PDB file of all heavy atoms in Angstrom:
ATOM      1  N   VAL A 249      30.650 -10.098 -53.373  1.00  0.00           N
ATOM      2  CA  VAL A 249      30.476 -10.752 -52.021  1.00  0.00           C
ATOM      3  C   VAL A 249      31.188 -12.086 -51.937  1.00  0.00           C
ATOM      4  O   VAL A 249      31.723 -12.349 -50.814  1.00  0.00           O
ATOM      5  CB  VAL A 249      28.970 -10.968 -51.912  1.00  0.00           C
ATOM      6  CG1 VAL A 249      28.419 -12.164 -52.614  1.00  0.00           C
ATOM      7  CG2 VAL A 249      28.550 -11.036 -50.427  1.00  0.00           C
ATOM      8  N   VAL A 250      31.372 -12.839 -52.968  1.00  0.00           N
ATOM      9  CA  VAL A 250      32.132 -14.081 -52.807  1.00  0.00           C
ATOM     10  C   VAL A 250      33.510 -13.831 -52.552  1.00  0.00           C
ATOM     11  O   VAL A 250      34.181 -14.631 -51.649  1.00  0.00           O
ATOM     12  CB  VAL A 250      31.861 -14.985 -53.927  1.00  0.00           C
ATOM     13  CG1 VAL A 250      32.669 -16.288 -53.848  1.00  0.00           C
ATOM     14  CG2 VAL A 250      30.316 -15.473 -54.110  1.00  0.00           C
ATOM     15  N   SER A 251      34.219 -12.872 -53.181  1.00  0.00           N
ATOM     16  CA  SER A 251      35.652 -12.551 -52.831  1.00  0.00           C
ATOM     17  C   SER A 251      35.775 -12.239 -51.422  1.00  0.00           C
ATOM     18  O   SER A 251      36.643 -12.668 -50.758  1.00  0.00           O
ATOM     19  CB  SER A 251      36.171 -11.578 -53.783  1.00  0.00           C
ATOM     20  OG  SER A 251      35.465 -10.274 -53.616  1.00  0.00           O
ATOM     21  N   LYS A 252      34.806 -11.486 -50.841  1.00  0.00           N
ATOM     22  CA  LYS A 252      34.814 -11.017 -49.409  1.00  0.00           C
ATOM     23  C   LYS A 252      34.630 -12.283 -48.509  1.00  0.00           C
ATOM     24  O   LYS A 252      35.382 -12.492 -47.675  1.00  0.00           O
ATOM     25  CB  LYS A 252      33.754 -10.003 -49.187  1.00  0.00           C
ATOM     26  CG  LYS A 252      34.119  -8.639 -49.567  1.00  0.00           C
ATOM     27  CD  LYS A 252      32.952  -7.617 -49.578  1.00  0.00           C
ATOM     28  CE  LYS A 252      32.561  -7.355 -48.205  1.00  0.00           C
ATOM     29  NZ  LYS A 252      33.603  -6.506 -47.431  1.00  0.00           N
ATOM     30  N   LEU A 253      33.678 -13.058 -48.875  1.00  0.00           N
ATOM     31  CA  LEU A 253      33.398 -14.334 -48.023  1.00  0.00           C
ATOM     32  C   LEU A 253      34.630 -15.229 -48.060  1.00  0.00           C
ATOM     33  O   LEU A 253      34.983 -15.753 -46.974  1.00  0.00           O
ATOM     34  CB  LEU A 253      32.141 -15.061 -48.495  1.00  0.00           C
ATOM     35  CG  LEU A 253      30.824 -14.334 -48.304  1.00  0.00           C
ATOM     36  CD1 LEU A 253      29.698 -14.948 -49.024  1.00  0.00           C
ATOM     37  CD2 LEU A 253      30.489 -14.079 -46.790  1.00  0.00           C
ATOM     38  N   LEU A 254      35.252 -15.389 -49.142  1.00  0.00           N
ATOM     39  CA  LEU A 254      36.435 -16.342 -49.248  1.00  0.00           C
ATOM     40  C   LEU A 254      37.568 -15.707 -48.386  1.00  0.00           C
ATOM     41  O   LEU A 254      38.209 -16.470 -47.756  1.00  0.00           O
ATOM     42  CB  LEU A 254      36.851 -16.424 -50.781  1.00  0.00           C
ATOM     43  CG  LEU A 254      35.816 -17.270 -51.660  1.00  0.00           C
ATOM     44  CD1 LEU A 254      36.302 -17.168 -53.060  1.00  0.00           C
ATOM     45  CD2 LEU A 254      35.720 -18.733 -51.127  1.00  0.00           C
ATOM     46  N   ASN A 255      37.724 -14.416 -48.559  1.00  0.00           N
ATOM     47  CA  ASN A 255      38.780 -13.753 -47.661  1.00  0.00           C
ATOM     48  C   ASN A 255      38.476 -13.818 -46.193  1.00  0.00           C
ATOM     49  O   ASN A 255      39.255 -13.958 -45.329  1.00  0.00           O
ATOM     50  CB  ASN A 255      38.975 -12.300 -48.019  1.00  0.00           C
ATOM     51  CG  ASN A 255      39.769 -12.131 -49.355  1.00  0.00           C
ATOM     52  OD1 ASN A 255      40.602 -13.025 -49.556  1.00  0.00           O
ATOM     53  ND2 ASN A 255      39.458 -11.097 -50.113  1.00  0.00           N
ATOM     54  N   GLN A 256      37.210 -13.690 -45.887  1.00  0.00           N
ATOM     55  CA  GLN A 256      36.815 -13.650 -44.462  1.00  0.00           C
ATOM     56  C   GLN A 256      36.944 -15.103 -43.792  1.00  0.00           C
ATOM     57  O   GLN A 256      37.466 -15.150 -42.670  1.00  0.00           O
ATOM     58  CB  GLN A 256      35.273 -13.211 -44.335  1.00  0.00           C
ATOM     59  CG  GLN A 256      35.079 -11.765 -44.585  1.00  0.00           C
ATOM     60  CD  GLN A 256      33.721 -11.437 -45.112  1.00  0.00           C
ATOM     61  OE1 GLN A 256      32.827 -12.273 -45.087  1.00  0.00           O
ATOM     62  NE2 GLN A 256      33.396 -10.215 -45.405  1.00  0.00           N
ATOM     63  N   ALA A 257      36.567 -16.057 -44.535  1.00  0.00           N
ATOM     64  CA  ALA A 257      36.580 -17.404 -43.999  1.00  0.00           C
ATOM     65  C   ALA A 257      37.875 -18.094 -44.069  1.00  0.00           C
ATOM     66  O   ALA A 257      38.215 -18.916 -43.254  1.00  0.00           O
ATOM     67  CB  ALA A 257      35.497 -18.257 -44.532  1.00  0.00           C
ATOM     68  N   GLN A 258      38.614 -17.856 -45.211  1.00  0.00           N
ATOM     69  CA  GLN A 258      40.008 -18.416 -45.480  1.00  0.00           C
ATOM     70  C   GLN A 258      39.838 -20.004 -45.308  1.00  0.00           C
ATOM     71  O   GLN A 258      40.610 -20.679 -44.766  1.00  0.00           O
ATOM     72  CB  GLN A 258      41.024 -18.064 -44.297  1.00  0.00           C
ATOM     73  CG  GLN A 258      41.086 -16.507 -44.244  1.00  0.00           C
ATOM     74  CD  GLN A 258      42.218 -15.948 -44.974  1.00  0.00           C
ATOM     75  OE1 GLN A 258      43.349 -16.499 -44.983  1.00  0.00           O
ATOM     76  NE2 GLN A 258      42.024 -14.953 -45.876  1.00  0.00           N
ATOM     77  N   ALA A 259      38.675 -20.501 -45.946  1.00  0.00           N
ATOM     78  CA  ALA A 259      38.526 -22.018 -46.014  1.00  0.00           C
ATOM     79  C   ALA A 259      39.461 -22.616 -46.969  1.00  0.00           C
ATOM     80  O   ALA A 259      40.056 -21.960 -47.824  1.00  0.00           O
ATOM     81  CB  ALA A 259      36.953 -22.252 -46.311  1.00  0.00           C
ATOM     82  N   ASP A 260      39.570 -23.988 -46.715  1.00  0.00           N
ATOM     83  CA  ASP A 260      40.307 -24.811 -47.708  1.00  0.00           C
ATOM     84  C   ASP A 260      39.455 -24.995 -49.070  1.00  0.00           C
ATOM     85  O   ASP A 260      40.091 -24.998 -50.110  1.00  0.00           O
ATOM     86  CB  ASP A 260      40.835 -26.059 -47.035  1.00  0.00           C
ATOM     87  CG  ASP A 260      41.645 -25.855 -45.934  1.00  0.00           C
ATOM     88  OD1 ASP A 260      42.733 -25.491 -45.948  1.00  0.00           O
ATOM     89  OD2 ASP A 260      41.060 -25.910 -44.788  1.00  0.00           O
ATOM     90  N   VAL A 261      38.254 -25.308 -48.862  1.00  0.00           N
ATOM     91  CA  VAL A 261      37.404 -25.535 -50.087  1.00  0.00           C
ATOM     92  C   VAL A 261      36.171 -24.711 -49.946  1.00  0.00           C
ATOM     93  O   VAL A 261      35.727 -24.450 -48.717  1.00  0.00           O
ATOM     94  CB  VAL A 261      37.077 -27.027 -50.294  1.00  0.00           C
ATOM     95  CG1 VAL A 261      38.274 -27.857 -50.459  1.00  0.00           C
ATOM     96  CG2 VAL A 261      36.218 -27.490 -49.149  1.00  0.00           C
ATOM     97  N   ALA A 262      35.556 -24.415 -51.083  1.00  0.00           N
ATOM     98  CA  ALA A 262      34.228 -23.749 -51.084  1.00  0.00           C
ATOM     99  C   ALA A 262      33.456 -24.394 -52.212  1.00  0.00           C
ATOM    100  O   ALA A 262      34.017 -24.699 -53.252  1.00  0.00           O
ATOM    101  CB  ALA A 262      34.362 -22.221 -51.270  1.00  0.00           C
ATOM    102  N   VAL A 263      32.126 -24.589 -51.764  1.00  0.00           N
ATOM    103  CA  VAL A 263      31.257 -25.497 -52.604  1.00  0.00           C
ATOM    104  C   VAL A 263      30.130 -24.496 -53.211  1.00  0.00           C
ATOM    105  O   VAL A 263      29.521 -23.888 -52.539  1.00  0.00           O
ATOM    106  CB  VAL A 263      30.664 -26.606 -51.918  1.00  0.00           C
ATOM    107  CG1 VAL A 263      29.848 -27.503 -52.878  1.00  0.00           C
ATOM    108  CG2 VAL A 263      31.772 -27.424 -51.167  1.00  0.00           C
ATOM    109  N   PHE A 264      29.949 -24.640 -54.540  1.00  0.00           N
ATOM    110  CA  PHE A 264      28.888 -23.870 -55.341  1.00  0.00           C
ATOM    111  C   PHE A 264      28.144 -24.987 -56.178  1.00  0.00           C
ATOM    112  O   PHE A 264      28.750 -25.849 -56.605  1.00  0.00           O
ATOM    113  CB  PHE A 264      29.546 -22.767 -56.110  1.00  0.00           C
ATOM    114  CG  PHE A 264      30.281 -21.766 -55.293  1.00  0.00           C
ATOM    115  CD1 PHE A 264      31.505 -21.986 -54.836  1.00  0.00           C
ATOM    116  CD2 PHE A 264      29.548 -20.598 -54.848  1.00  0.00           C
ATOM    117  CE1 PHE A 264      32.167 -20.934 -54.200  1.00  0.00           C
ATOM    118  CE2 PHE A 264      30.208 -19.659 -54.128  1.00  0.00           C
ATOM    119  CZ  PHE A 264      31.515 -19.828 -53.803  1.00  0.00           C
ATOM    120  N   GLY A 265      26.880 -24.678 -56.345  1.00  0.00           N
ATOM    121  CA  GLY A 265      26.043 -25.563 -57.131  1.00  0.00           C
ATOM    122  C   GLY A 265      26.244 -25.435 -58.643  1.00  0.00           C
ATOM    123  O   GLY A 265      26.321 -24.244 -59.089  1.00  0.00           O
ATOM    124  N   GLU A 266      26.100 -26.463 -59.383  1.00  0.00           N
ATOM    125  CA  GLU A 266      26.217 -26.529 -60.832  1.00  0.00           C
ATOM    126  C   GLU A 266      24.847 -25.958 -61.367  1.00  0.00           C
ATOM    127  O   GLU A 266      24.906 -25.581 -62.578  1.00  0.00           O
ATOM    128  CB  GLU A 266      26.417 -27.913 -61.305  1.00  0.00           C
ATOM    129  CG  GLU A 266      27.847 -28.428 -60.960  1.00  0.00           C
ATOM    130  CD  GLU A 266      28.114 -29.851 -61.565  1.00  0.00           C
ATOM    131  OE1 GLU A 266      27.151 -30.446 -62.054  1.00  0.00           O
ATOM    132  OE2 GLU A 266      29.252 -30.229 -61.350  1.00  0.00           O
ATOM    133  N   LYS A 267      23.774 -25.765 -60.551  1.00  0.00           N
ATOM    134  CA  LYS A 267      22.579 -25.297 -61.020  1.00  0.00           C
ATOM    135  C   LYS A 267      22.924 -23.822 -61.573  1.00  0.00           C
ATOM    136  O   LYS A 267      22.406 -23.418 -62.569  1.00  0.00           O
ATOM    137  CB  LYS A 267      21.582 -25.153 -59.855  1.00  0.00           C
ATOM    138  CG  LYS A 267      20.190 -24.903 -60.357  1.00  0.00           C
ATOM    139  CD  LYS A 267      19.359 -24.099 -59.419  1.00  0.00           C
ATOM    140  CE  LYS A 267      19.162 -22.829 -59.919  1.00  0.00           C
ATOM    141  NZ  LYS A 267      18.564 -21.830 -58.919  1.00  0.00           N
ATOM    142  N   ASP A 268      23.825 -23.081 -60.876  1.00  0.00           N
ATOM    143  CA  ASP A 268      24.129 -21.809 -61.301  1.00  0.00           C
ATOM    144  C   ASP A 268      25.572 -21.894 -61.970  1.00  0.00           C
ATOM    145  O   ASP A 268      26.568 -21.474 -61.503  1.00  0.00           O
ATOM    146  CB  ASP A 268      24.318 -20.847 -60.011  1.00  0.00           C
ATOM    147  CG  ASP A 268      22.919 -20.772 -59.408  1.00  0.00           C
ATOM    148  OD1 ASP A 268      22.055 -20.013 -59.823  1.00  0.00           O
ATOM    149  OD2 ASP A 268      22.689 -21.522 -58.441  1.00  0.00           O
TER     150      ASP A 268
END
Side-chain angles (χ1 to χ4, degrees):
V249 79
V250 171
S251 58
K252 284 170 68 67
L253 292 169
L254 292 171
N255 280 331
Q256 289 159 4
Q258 310 261 314
D260 300 284
V261 299
V263 186
F264 296 85
E266 292 181 353
K267 194 208 116 195
D268 301 279

